[in-house]
Amino acid sequence: MKKLLLLCALFVAAPVVFAQDYYGLQEYGLRQNTTRVEFYGGMVLPQNTWSHHGQEVDLGTTGWTAGIGFTRNLVPVFSLGLDANYAQLGDGDTFISGGKESYYRTGIATGLVTGRVNFFPTQATRLYIPFGIGVGHMFARQKFDDGSHLTTNSTDLAQMIGIGLEFDIDDSTIFGVEGRYYLVEAASDFKNAFGKSRIHYSNVMLKLGWRF
């Protein structure tokens, strides 16, 4: 009887050993000293309306956003990295300025040094808080009906904080959803034109990443 039970155990264990030899065990979670690249895309949600020299304009409305980030896991619970993001604010607006019809389009690009606090870092599903500080470049491009254009630029301090949820598709691919809040300071030219000393907006994005 004992020999029969031993023979059955060997038959059960053999496929498991065979699978481990040929396929290996999946390694989920965040590991120390690994690097990740992540691509983001989604919606940008501005926090307030815009005006141009006192005239209300349909700028700074819901638009699209895309970005890329590089992250290095110093330890499983904390990461440092670099992040670049572009937010296109709305579809622009056409209005009368200086007696001429003009069309405005606005956007904001940011380049940040980022940090990330990871919760449940050894699990396949994780919650995290990203934050960052760096430079934000805003522009408002005014195009007139005669083909000429005028661009108002601003480059100043940018800050970000957010929250995200991600899970491992396999041992190298990551999928997730992330929300961010941005605060970008406006330089004097931009402030004089649009009456804003800073721009607030939020991003809601899906992301796909790979680690190596």
Side-chain angles (χ1 to χ4, degrees):
M1 184 65 179
K2 291 182 179 180
K3 291 182 180 180
L4 181 59
L5 291 175
L6 180 59
L7 185 61
C8 292
L10 288 174
F11 274 112
V12 171
V16 177
V17 174
F18 181 84
Q20 290 183 7
D21 288 342
Y22 282 85
Y23 299 105
L25 294 175
Q26 298 283 4
E27 294 187 23
Y28 296 118
L30 300 177
R31 298 186 295 278
Q32 185 175 350
N33 296 326
T34 57
T35 302
R36 303 194 304 170
V37 58
E38 299 173 331
F39 295 92
Y40 305 86
M43 293 192 307
V44 54
L45 307 170
Q47 301 298 304
N48 45 28
T49 58
W50 288 46
S51 63
H52 179 255
H53 297 300
Q55 178 183 358
E56 185 173 342
V57 292
D58 188 19
L59 296 174
T61 57
T62 301
W64 59 269
T65 182
I68 183 173
F70 296 91
T71 304
R72 180 73 173 177
N73 293 321
L74 302 182
V75 292
V77 297
F78 183 73
S79 309
L80 282 177
L82 298 173
D83 184 274
N85 181 269
Y86 177 74
Q88 180 72 58
L89 303 183
D91 295 326
D93 189 23
T94 300
F95 58 95
I96 302 299
S97 176
K100 296 189 295 183
E101 185 176 81
S102 62
Y103 175 77
Y104 254 112
R105 181 174 291 278
T106 59
I108 304 175
T110 58
L112 306 177
V113 176
T114 58
R116 205 178 99 156
V117 178
N118 304 302
F119 300 92
F120 319 111
T122 61
Q123 303 301 311
T125 301
R126 298 173 295 276
L127 186 69
Y128 62 92
I129 296 177
F131 55 91
I133 187 168
V135 176
H137 177 78
M138 296 183 285
F139 75 91
R141 190 172 189 267
Q142 184 179 13
K143 184 177 180 180
F144 300 97
D145 53 4
D146 60 4
S148 61
H149 66 271
L150 176 67
T151 302
T152 304
N153 294 302
S154 170
T155 301
D156 213 311
L157 179 69
Q159 303 169 72
M160 177 274 292
I161 191 168
I163 188 168
L165 179 68
E166 66 182 15
F167 64 89
D168 297 327
I169 296 177
D170 55 34
D171 58 357
S172 63
T173 308
I174 300 164
F175 179 79
V177 59
E178 185 172 315
R180 296 181 177 183
Y181 171 76
Y182 283 85
L183 174 62
V184 183
E185 302 290 340
S188 57
D189 290 347
F190 209 89
K191 180 180 178 180
N192 294 336
F194 297 98
K196 294 181 180 297
S197 60
R198 54 184 57 179
I199 305 297
H200 308 255
Y201 62 98
S202 300
N203 289 352
V204 179
M205 306 177 291
L206 297 177
K207 74 170 186 179
L208 188 63
W210 293 266
R211 58 186 177 186
F212 50 91

